Amino acid sequence: MRKLVSRSLTAIALLLAAPLVTPVANAAGGAEIPSQNWSFQGLFGTFDRAAAQRGFQVYKEVCSTCHGAYHLNYRNLTALGFSEAEVKAIAAQDTVMDGPNDDGEMFERPAAPADKFKRPFANEKAARAANGGAYPPDLSLIVKARPGGADYIYALLTGYHEAPADVTLMEGMNYNAYFPGNQIAMAQPLYADGVTYADGTAASVEQMASDVSTFLAWASEPEMEQRKQMGISVMLFLIVLTGLAYGSMRKIWANVKK
């Protein structure tokens, strides 16, 4: 019985500690990635819906010209607080290929909420041809795919600077303090007032980088809040079970003569 109690307490401690650990990435050849204070960190962390909606706007108006989010459907945006009418309007701004029709031909139509986000290029070869041979990665899982997660995305987006005097950039490359090797093919994507936020938030580079990092963190793990809620429920159950087990042990052994 004591072993059961001990194991239960150990499991609770692990569940409590796991969500609080934030990975610290140090990109090879780049500066150490600073940690940011994200609303979704920690055991009780949740996504800031306003920031995520602004981040979607940054993705839509800036990032989506080169990067896709292939695992997201327009209807997923309701989880960020967009109404069904707003999602329909957002989807209708894009066109997608459909068909074949009765004549056996493919055709374009306005996107619907059930469609996946529109791809910026028809295929990988077209993407490479438009980007000097580089292939822009899919962003829907980028936060989970990169060491440092949202911290790395934020650092990368705010890490563009003039190259130091002792650094010679290769043709077509840009200097970034946090990118491995410090030379990146992607040109600086964010500039102050590059978007106009509907809620009036000032669109500084840091603000846009923070907002789009929040959106991409949600895109990479949209079930995070439900997972945390389940984890808390499991911990509460284990606490109650441990208390009952311990009380039962005391009662059973209280009448046992030494």
Side-chain angles (χ1 to χ4, degrees):
M1 187 66 69
R2 290 180 178 178
K3 288 184 178 180
L4 174 62
V5 174
S6 177
R7 289 175 180 175
S8 297
L9 290 173
T10 300
I12 293 171
L14 290 173
L15 283 169
L16 283 169
L20 302 179
V21 177
T22 301
V24 178
N26 193 354
E32 183 175 339
I33 298 171
S35 296
Q36 305 298 321
N37 185 24
W38 303 106
S39 67
F40 47 85
Q41 287 178 324
L43 180 62
F44 300 100
T46 58
F47 292 114
D48 182 336
R49 263 41 182 193
Q53 287 190 19
R54 292 193 301 268
F56 168 70
Q57 182 179 346
V58 175
Y59 165 79
K60 178 72 173 174
E61 296 184 15
V62 180
C63 307
S64 67
T65 57
C66 295
H67 296 273
Y70 305 144
H71 296 280
L72 290 177
N73 296 73
Y74 292 100
R75 64 187 175 198
N76 297 144
L77 294 174
T78 57
L80 294 182
F82 289 105
S83 67
E84 292 187 4
E86 288 174 324
V87 170
K88 288 181 180 179
I90 290 170
Q93 293 173 6
D94 294 329
T95 57
V96 295
M97 292 297 296
D98 202 349
N101 57 19
D102 292 340
D103 296 323
E105 298 176 347
M106 303 299 290
F107 62 93
E108 286 191 341
R109 61 166 175 79
D115 291 316
K116 290 190 177 298
F117 279 18
K118 183 179 180 179
R119 293 174 177 253
F121 303 103
N123 50 60
E124 182 177 340
K125 287 187 177 181
R128 290 187 182 278
N131 289 277
Y135 182 57
D138 167 45
L139 295 185
S140 54
L141 298 175
I142 196 70
V143 168
K144 293 183 73 67
R146 295 294 185 269
D151 287 337
Y152 172 74
I153 302 303
Y154 176 86
L156 182 76
L157 292 173
T158 58
Y160 285 88
H161 306 290
E162 290 292 330
D166 59 343
V167 174
T168 301
L169 292 176
M170 294 184 291
E171 184 178 357
M173 304 299 282
N174 304 275
Y175 183 83
N176 189 290
Y178 300 103
F179 188 75
N182 298 130
Q183 300 196 38
I184 182 172
M186 181 175 72
Q188 180 176 342
L190 300 180
Y191 291 90
D193 299 321
V195 302
T196 301
Y197 284 136
D199 63 3
T201 300
S204 65
V205 170
E206 292 75 16
Q207 182 68 57
M208 289 185 289
S210 177
D211 291 340
V212 77
S213 296
T214 298
F215 169 70
L216 294 177
W218 167 80
S220 291
E221 199 173 10
E223 78 289 349
M224 183 204 72
E225 292 172 334
Q226 289 76 17
R227 174 176 55 79
K228 287 183 178 181
Q229 290 172 1
M230 181 176 293
I232 292 170
S233 299
V234 169
M235 286 189 291
L236 292 175
F237 171 77
L238 288 174
I239 290 171
V240 173
L241 178 63
T242 300
L244 291 174
Y246 182 73
S248 299
M249 178 190 71
R250 292 291 300 271
K251 184 173 182 179
I252 291 172
W253 287 95
N255 299 322
V256 177
K257 294 183 179 180
K258 296 184 179 178

